[in-house]
Amino acid sequence: MTYRNNLPADYKNQLPCFGTFDIIVVGGGPAGIAAAVSASELGNKVLLIEQLGFLGGAAVSGMSGTICGLYMTVADPLVAKPEQIIFGFAERFRDALYQAGGLTDPQIYGKTWVATHDCATYKRVATDMTRQAGVTVLYHTQMIDVITEDDAFRGMVLHTKSGFTRVNAKKAIDASGDADVVYKMGLKTSKGNDGVIQNPTMMFKVGNVDMQQYLSYWGQDTISPPKVVSMLEAEDELLRKKVWLFPTVNPGELLVNATKVTGFDGRALDVTNPVDHSEAEQFSIYQAQNFFKFMRDNIPGCENAYFIDYATEVGVRQTRSIDGIAKLMNDDVINKRKREDSIAKTSWPIELHYGAKPKTEWLVDDYYDVPFHTLVPKSGQDVIVAGRCLSSEHEALASCRVTAQCFEYGRAAAFAADLSIKEDLAFQDMEAGQIVALMQ
C-alpha cells in the first residue's frame, strides 16, 4: 500500500508560505528534541514540527517511560554499580529530568539498568529546553509532502488546523522515526528482515500498588521473574510471556510493558499501513486490560490497584530504515565493534520483539559504536535522519534504537546540518571525524 505521490509541484508553490528556516526538524521525540535544541543553540533558525500537542515522541505518547541505553551491561547488576557510558545531550536531558523530580534512580533491568521517567515532567523539561533555545515549535502539524529541486530538499507542505501551508528550509532533519521525509523524497528505505518488523506494544500505568508487598514478591529486577513467566505461559489470552514492570517516581505507581500487539487475526502489523496502525490501537486496549486483570489476580500488592491510563498511542519499535552511506550490521553489535567514526556507544542488548517472548542477547561488560554515516542517505541532498530510522540491519536496530542513543543521533544530525550550511558541504561529502570532534 503506497501513498507517496503526492501533490503537484505547481500546487505546492501556490500555497501560502509559513516562513523560511535554516533547518526543519520533523518529529518531537528524543532525537528531534536533541536535534532542534542543538541546532538552534548553534545559531540556526529552526522549526520543529510535531503532529501531537506535546514533545517526547514515543517516550511520552507511547509511554515507553524509561531512558534505556545509558549504562554498561554487566554480568550481575546485584553486585555491580551502574556505569554510565553515554553523556552529551542524553546526560543533559537525564539530569534536567532528575533535578525536576521526574526520573528514578537507576533500576535493574536484566543485566543493565534503566531510569523511569514521569511523562508530565518530560513534557515540561522538553518544552523548557526548546523555548530557551529559541526553537519555533508547531504542534498539531503534519508534514504532508516534501518540496524538492533536482533531488535536493527545499521545503515541505504542512497541514495545520488552518489548512495547508508551505515552509522553506535549507536542510531537513528527519526525526520522524519512520523516515517520513526520506520516504516522501522518493529515496530508498527498507523494513526489518525482508519486511518482518518488531511488534508494537501498548504501555499503561496502574496506581494504588502496595509497593513493599509487590517488590518483596517481584524482586529488584524490573523484568518478570521465572515464577511469573510460568504463570503467563499458562494463560492463552495473554500473548506476551515475558513482561516488564517499572516502579515510577510516583508512590504506588507501576509503569507496565506487558502487551504484544498483533492484528485480531494474529497477523504481524506494519504501522506505516493506516489499517494496521488503527487495528493496533484497538487490539492493544484488550491486551492491556487482560494483563491488568492478571496483575490484580496474581501479583501480590496489586490486588487493589486501579488502572490509570493507556499510552496515547501504541509504542512503535520499528518501521522504515534508510539506505545509508554506512550501515550498522548485526555482526557489528554481536562483536562489539569499535569505530573511529562513532557518534554514540551502546551496551544495550539486542532486544528483538517478535514471537511469544522477546529475544534478548546481552553485550556483557562491553559496547559497540554507531557510525555517523548511518544517518546519511546514499542519495538525495540536504536531508539527514536522527533516531530509529537510521541505516541498520534488523537485529542491530533492536539494540541501537533506544532513547539515550537517539538523543545523541539528534545531536550529531544537528552538528552535521550546521556544518553543511556554514561550509556549503553535502552530508554525503562530510568526513565523520568532523562530527565526532564536535561531539566530544
Side-chain angles (χ1 to χ4, degrees):
M1 190 178 294
T2 301
Y3 301 87
R4 183 186 297 151
N5 292 324
N6 286 344
L7 300 171
D10 57 343
Y11 176 74
K12 300 176 191 178
N13 294 330
Q14 292 168 15
L15 291 171
C17 183
F18 176 77
T20 298
F21 295 83
D22 295 314
I23 300 166
I24 302 177
V25 179
V26 177
I33 295 166
V37 171
S38 299
S40 189
E41 290 176 342
L42 290 166
N44 296 287
K45 186 179 180 183
V46 178
L47 173 66
L48 171 60
I49 64 170
E50 169 55 50
Q51 63 182 346
L52 299 175
F54 50 84
L55 297 176
V60 175
S61 65
M63 209 182 279
S64 65
T66 57
I67 299 181
C68 304
L70 284 170
Y71 303 105
M72 182 72 81
T73 297
V74 299
D76 186 357
L78 290 172
V79 298
K81 292 183 179 180
E83 177 190 351
Q84 190 168 334
I85 62 169
I86 192 162
F87 295 90
F89 199 94
E91 168 55 20
R92 178 179 174 184
F93 202 90
R94 184 214 65 80
D95 183 64
L97 271 175
Y98 191 79
Q99 295 302 323
L103 190 71
T104 67
D105 289 321
Q107 300 167 310
I108 295 174
Y109 176 87
K111 295 181 182 296
T112 187
W113 293 265
V114 298
T116 301
H117 70 253
D118 175 69
C119 289
T121 309
Y122 199 114
K123 291 179 186 179
R124 180 167 61 81
V125 168
T127 301
D128 288 345
M129 284 190 175
T130 51
R131 285 178 57 82
Q132 289 164 9
V135 177
T136 300
V137 179
L138 282 184
Y139 291 136
H140 308 294
T141 300
Q142 289 184 299
M143 181 197 68
I144 301 300
D145 208 349
V146 179
I147 301 169
T148 59
E149 180 182 323
D150 298 327
D151 201 33
F153 171 83
R154 291 293 178 264
M156 295 176 183
V157 176
L158 307 179
H159 185 259
T160 73
K161 288 292 184 181
S162 295
F164 292 100
T165 187
R166 185 182 82 253
V167 61
N168 304 320
K170 299 172 184 175
K171 308 292 171 183
I173 298 177
D174 186 344
S176 65
D178 303 313
D180 286 340
V181 180
V182 171
Y183 176 75
K184 287 182 179 292
M185 286 180 69
L187 307 179
K188 183 179 178 182
T189 61
S190 60
K191 293 180 185 177
N193 184 13
D194 295 327
V196 176
I197 62 177
Q198 297 187 66
N199 299 118
T201 193
M202 173 56 77
M203 304 283 285
F204 61 92
K205 285 184 178 180
V206 302
N208 199 38
V209 175
D210 183 327
M211 294 303 294
Q212 184 175 355
Q213 189 179 6
Y214 163 76
L215 289 171
S216 177
Y217 173 81
W218 191 273
Q220 295 184 51
D221 194 341
T222 54
I223 298 177
S224 48
K227 58 190 176 185
V228 174
V229 174
S230 295
M231 286 191 291
L232 291 170
E233 288 174 340
E235 299 282 346
D236 292 339
E237 73 276 12
L238 297 176
L239 302 184
R240 179 96 166 259
K241 306 304 182 184
K242 196 171 186 178
V243 301
W244 310 327
L245 275 60
F246 305 96
T248 76
V249 294
N250 302 312
E253 184 178 84
L254 285 174
L255 173 68
V256 182
N257 186 341
T259 63
K260 174 190 170 186
V261 178
T262 69
F264 284 101
D265 60 1
R267 75 186 188 281
L269 300 178
D270 175 1
V271 296
T272 63
N273 179 318
V275 174
D276 279 8
H277 200 174
S278 300
E279 192 166 333
E281 302 288 5
Q282 295 173 334
F283 183 85
S284 65
I285 290 174
Y286 299 103
Q287 277 288 293
Q289 285 296 334
N290 285 342
F291 188 80
F292 176 59
K293 181 179 184 302
F294 172 85
M295 289 177 65
R296 292 192 57 165
D297 291 346
N298 295 280
I299 307 299
C302 298
E303 298 89 347
N304 298 311
Y306 62 86
F307 197 97
I308 295 176
D309 204 358
Y310 311 95
T312 302
E313 57 186 359
V314 290
V316 178
R317 295 184 174 93
Q318 181 181 32
T319 55
R320 304 184 191 101
S321 296
I322 68 164
D323 182 28
I325 290 179
K327 188 171 188 176
L328 185 68
M329 309 300 286
N330 298 339
D331 283 346
D332 294 335
V333 177
I334 293 168
N335 296 318
K336 299 94 170 177
R337 184 180 177 193
K338 312 300 189 293
R339 309 178 59 117
E340 293 183 355
D341 57 352
S342 170
I343 52 170
K345 62 177 65 172
T346 176
S347 187
W348 192 255
I350 294 175
E351 186 184 80
L352 199 61
H353 290 260
Y354 192 81
K357 292 182 183 179
K359 172 190 172 183
T360 306
E361 185 166 343
W362 299 98
L363 312 177
V364 176
D365 293 323
D366 210 343
Y367 66 90
Y368 65 92
D369 286 321
V370 180
F372 164 69
H373 281 109
T374 57
L375 308 183
V376 181
K378 285 180 182 176
S379 60
Q381 298 296 308
D382 301 317
V383 61
I384 189 169
V385 306
R388 69 168 187 259
C389 54
L390 81 171
S391 180
S392 173
E393 282 197 300
H394 181 53
E395 295 197 1
L397 184 67
S399 170
C400 72
R401 64 176 177 81
V402 292
T403 304
Q405 284 65 36
C406 283
F407 280 129
E408 295 312 288
Y409 305 152
R411 189 165 71 110
F415 284 134
D418 179 69
L419 186 66
S420 180
I421 292 169
K422 290 176 178 174
E423 298 193 5
D424 191 22
L425 183 64
F427 291 122
Q428 290 86 351
D429 296 333
M430 285 183 184
E431 296 289 338
Q434 296 175 281
I435 306 305
V436 174
L438 292 169
M439 296 189 73
Q440 300 303 315

